[in-house]
């Protein structure tokens, strides 16, 4: 039993079952016992690996995509160069290194990092100190300026609600107690016209997920893009309207029971890109698979160039990393990329 399990059991015993979203939020971001507050999640010793940790090419290509679009928009200055959930700061470091040579880009950019975990802020500070980043708790505080934003594996970490349709309405999936242990259960059916409208015609038994936090962040981003222009690039796993129960717990690179050790496993859900696009009211969006985007941005040429300096095991690892990011059987198809931008702007590189 983890300390967080004791806290949650006491809370549920006192006030009743909690929503899956409440459970996820506590597991991930509890100030003392949350997963992101306490654990080093990334890399071989951690629980999962992300694209920027697999290869520097990921951040380089996305950085050049943002910078080219910034040039295409006539170099708006000053602007916000933002990342949501920067993890170890690797993606932003690769973006900044790759764009060093773009005239005026760094001088006009204010680097802004939206990060909830004080521990990870410390890691990001070590990586990005020379660029004097500004940390924010929330997208609500993003500056009122043109916005060029990246979010990789941020939206999948936001708490989701799950609802199961039955003949009488929608039952919310709750976390309660059975014989003193955490267990899943269902609420009484509720009439939810919003869910019925969003998921018409699904038979009883269908499970759907909603992510109000994702909608809230999207609204804040969309307002900056509408008022000041710019581009948001969101990469994550999921699909266009993800359906079903996609909650997943990862510990030491293996699937785990999401209720077994709260605070010790990473909890995520697939990102519903249709819902994100719908939340970007009054803006245009473009949607593609990660592998397609990286190929369109020139990953093959970049990979060949980097391979020239490598031999033996290092070369093998580099080739494997390239495949891992782009191959449809690996991350290339499961991971998607969504670009959000004003309808009047030209299509961003890689999305046309
Ligand atoms: N983008 C990084 C890390 C992904 S892990 C990469 O690709 O490697 C998710 C990141 O989002 C972590 O940095 C975590 O601390 C942060 N995070 C999770 N929920 C958050 C929230 N609600 N607000 C701000 N940051 C959050």
């Amino acid at each position: 039993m983890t300390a967080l399990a004791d806290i949650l059991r006491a809370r549920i015993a006192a006030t009743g079952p909690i929503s899956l979203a409440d459970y996820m939020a506590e597991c991930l971001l509890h100030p003392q016992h949350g997963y992101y507050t306490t654990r080093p999640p990334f890399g071989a010793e951690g629980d999962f690996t992300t694209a920027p940790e697999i290869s520097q090419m990921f951040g380089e290509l996305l950085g050049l995509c943002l910078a080219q679009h910034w040039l295409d928009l006539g170099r708006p200055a000053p602007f916000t160069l933002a990342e949501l959930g920067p993890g170890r700061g690797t993606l932003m470091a690769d973006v900044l290194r790759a764009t060093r040579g773009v005239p005026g880009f760094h001088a006009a950019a204010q680097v802004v990092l939206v990060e909830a975990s004080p521990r990870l802020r410390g890691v990001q500070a070590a990586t990005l100190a020379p660029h004097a980043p500004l940390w924010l708790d929330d997208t609500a505080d993003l500056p009122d300026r043109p916005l060029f934003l990246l979010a990789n594996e941020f939206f999948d970490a936001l708490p989701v609600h799950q609802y199961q349709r039955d003949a009488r309405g929608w039952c919310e999936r709750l976390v309660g107690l059975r014989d003193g242990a955490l267990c899943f259960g269902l609420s009484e059916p509720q009439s939810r016209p919003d869910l019925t409208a969003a998921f018409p015609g699904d038979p009883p038994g269908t499970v759907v997920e909603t992510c109000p936090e994702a909608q809230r962040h999207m609204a804040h981003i969309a307002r900056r893009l509408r008022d000041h222009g710019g581009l948001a690039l969101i990469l994550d796993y999921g699909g266009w309207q993800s359906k079903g129960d996609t909650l997943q717990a990862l510990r030491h690179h293996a699937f785990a029971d999401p209720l077994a050790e709260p605070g010790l496993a990473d909890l995520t859900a697939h990102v519903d890109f249709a819902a994100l696009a719908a939340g970007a009211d009054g803006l245009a969006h473009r949607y593609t698979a990660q592998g397609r985007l990286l190929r369109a941005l020139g990953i093959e040429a970049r990979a060949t160039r980097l391979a020239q300096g490598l031999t033996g095991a290092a070369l093998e690892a580099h080739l494997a990393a390239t495949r891992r990011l782009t191959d449809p059987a690996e991350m290339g198809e499961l991971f998607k990329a969504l670009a959000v931008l004003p309808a009047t702007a030209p299509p961003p590189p890689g999305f046309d």
Side-chain angles (χ1 to χ4, degrees), residues 9-278:
R9 286 185 309 148
R11 174 174 160 193
I12 293 167
T15 60
I18 60 176
S19 69
L20 174 62
D22 273 354
Y23 177 76
M24 272 183 89
E26 294 284 13
C27 287
L28 293 175
L29 294 174
H30 185 281
Q32 281 87 44
H33 308 293
Y35 179 75
Y36 285 113
T37 353
T38 58
R39 320 268 308 159
F42 314 101
E45 330 83 86
D47 299 297
F48 60 94
T49 308
T50 58
E53 304 298 334
I54 292 171
S55 169
Q56 66 184 74
M57 296 185 292
F58 184 77
E60 291 171 348
L61 294 168
L62 294 179
L64 291 171
C65 172
L66 286 182
Q68 182 60 54
H69 196 70
W70 177 78
L71 292 171
D72 293 343
L73 294 184
R75 309 173 190 229
F79 75 94
T80 303
L81 179 59
E83 186 180 352
L84 310 186
R88 298 176 52 195
T90 309
L91 172 57
M92 185 54 87
D94 291 337
V95 165
L96 289 164
R97 191 185 61 258
T99 55
R100 242 179 347 208
V102 179
F105 189 70
H106 282 201
Q110 180 189 25
V111 176
V112 172
L113 307 173
V114 177
E115 175 56 67
S117 156
R119 202 183 53 75
L120 286 174
R121 282 186 184 203
V123 179
Q124 294 153 20
T127 319
L128 299 167
H131 300 278
L134 169 70
W135 280 273
L136 299 178
D137 291 328
D138 197 75
T139 49
D141 308 321
L142 283 168
D144 273 308
R145 287 183 175 170
L147 175 64
F148 290 76
L149 176 139
L150 285 170
N152 183 64
E153 292 214 36
F154 170 77
F155 282 92
D156 68 62
L158 299 177
V160 295
H161 294 268
Q162 288 185 338
Y163 301 91
Q164 185 172 321
R165 190 170 208 155
D166 83 0
R168 295 165 302 159
W170 295 91
C171 306
E172 177 158 17
R173 200 170 183 211
L174 303 175
V175 177
L177 289 177
R178 187 182 299 126
D179 302 329
L182 295 172
C183 70
F184 284 118
L186 290 174
S187 75
E188 286 299 307
Q190 316 152 26
S191 148
R192 286 288 299 264
D194 56 327
L195 295 176
T196 306
F199 303 96
D202 291 314
T206 303
V207 174
V208 301
E209 294 173 344
T210 66
C211 188
E213 273 296 283
Q215 294 304 309
R216 201 178 61 78
H217 289 299
M218 206 57 223
H220 295 145
I221 295 165
R223 185 169 75 65
R224 273 56 172 196
L225 294 175
R226 271 194 309 270
D227 291 354
H228 307 285
L231 171 64
L233 297 181
I234 297 168
L235 292 102
D236 224 308
Y237 52 107
W240 197 256
Q241 223 186 42
S242 67
K243 278 232 187 106
D245 169 9
T246 73
L247 177 69
Q248 143 182 328
L250 270 185
R251 181 134 201 245
H252 304 316
H253 299 268
F255 291 114
D257 172 353
L259 299 183
E261 295 178 300
L264 296 188
D266 183 39
L267 292 182
T268 62
H270 282 202
V271 173
D272 180 342
F273 284 95
L276 283 186

